[in-house]
Amino acid sequence: MRALRILLIVVVILGGLFVIADRVAVNFAEDEAADRLKTTENLASTPDVSIKGFPFLTQVAGGSLDDIQVGIENYEAAAGNGDSAQKIRIDDLRADMKGVEFSGDYSSATATSATGTATIAYDELLKTAKSEPTQVAPGVTANVVGLSDGGNGKIKVTVEATVLGTKLPEPVSVLSTVTVVDGTVRVKADGLPKFGGVDIAENRVRAITDFQQKIDGLPGGIELDKVQAAPDGVEITVKGSNVRLAG
């Protein structure tokens, strides 16, 4: 009985040491992965990296990790039509990487699949809209002055207009549908606003109310999947396969 008791104590101690060693190793790996991701994606700040699953050391021995979660607070994505100098800020980007395989020297890592969420604030998306007064008819100019949550997944687009040199006392607004097609966020008015009772051709009005923003260069090659208007901005979901974390 005494020998069995000693054996059990040894097993418990060794098990405890293994758990401690495993947690130390995973914390070190998370820090290293975060630093590599910061360098690879040229981030302004170090992202959050959390390696899920236990034990970590046996996953490493197998050459792959089950699940890695990555968080980036402010990501500057390329925007526009191929203009690398144009950027759009994406807030609180969270991605869940599954089946992460890495090279023998740990210099590169690739996830089999990834899903995630993020937000584009309305003030960022507003940069895409025509915020400078544009002529839509003889004597009539208009421009978008605000974007906000219109409820039920719609964006409220607020437009200011000037008719014959006189600014209308109140801006007009229209509810718009937001979609994503081939990496481009598109905002299209459900109806057409009236500017002081002046009849204006639909295509001229839509030249103001409707706009789009292409977003490229998300981390690791993930892509936009879905969008929906929300209180703080446009909420997006992202997805990807063979997503590169480092290297």
Side-chain angles (χ1 to χ4, degrees), residues 229-242:
D232 296 327
V234 176
E235 291 182 349
I236 64 176
T237 60
V238 298
K239 67 177 183 179
S241 57
N242 298 320

Side-chain angles (χ1 to χ4, degrees), residues 94-143:
R94 302 286 164 180
D96 192 5
M97 313 289 188
K98 301 290 188 181
V100 180
E101 297 184 355
F102 45 86
S103 60
D105 60 357
Y106 307 108
S107 61
S108 64
T110 303
T112 301
S113 64
T115 57
T117 60
T119 300
I120 301 175
Y122 286 121
D123 61 347
E124 283 291 306
L125 196 59
L126 182 60
K127 297 175 183 178
T128 304
K130 288 188 176 180
S131 56
E132 294 296 324
T134 301
Q135 182 171 304
V136 294
V140 181
T141 61
N143 60 292

Side-chain angles (χ1 to χ4, degrees), residues 138-141 161-168 195-196 198:
V140 181
T141 61
T162 298
V163 179
L164 299 176
T166 302
K167 183 181 295 185
L168 296 183
F195 302 125
V198 179

Side-chain angles (χ1 to χ4, degrees), residues 126-228:
L126 182 60
K127 297 175 183 178
T128 304
K130 288 188 176 180
S131 56
E132 294 296 324
T134 301
Q135 182 171 304
V136 294
V140 181
T141 61
N143 60 292
V144 177
V145 294
L147 301 176
S148 59
D149 179 25
N152 297 319
K154 302 289 185 177
I155 292 179
K156 180 181 178 182
V157 179
T158 302
V159 181
E160 195 171 70
T162 298
V163 179
L164 299 176
T166 302
K167 183 181 295 185
L168 296 183
E170 295 292 338
V172 295
S173 62
V174 61
L175 292 180
S176 300
T177 298
V178 57
T179 58
V180 59
V181 179
D182 296 330
T184 298
V185 176
R186 295 179 177 176
V187 178
K188 183 177 181 179
D190 294 347
L192 299 178
K194 293 288 186 179
F195 302 125
V198 179
D199 290 328
I200 303 173
E202 179 176 347
N203 65 320
R204 301 300 298 272
V205 177
R206 288 197 177 279
I208 302 298
T209 60
D210 300 359
F211 56 93
Q212 62 184 31
Q213 176 66 76
K214 186 171 182 58
I215 300 176
D216 293 318
L218 292 174
I222 57 178
E223 299 176 345
L224 297 184
D225 183 28
K226 298 177 183 178
V227 294
Q228 180 174 309

Side-chain angles (χ1 to χ4, degrees), residues 6-20:
I6 294 174
L7 177 61
L8 290 174
I9 292 173
V10 171
V11 168
V12 170
I13 292 174
L14 291 177
L17 291 175
F18 175 79
V19 171
I20 293 172

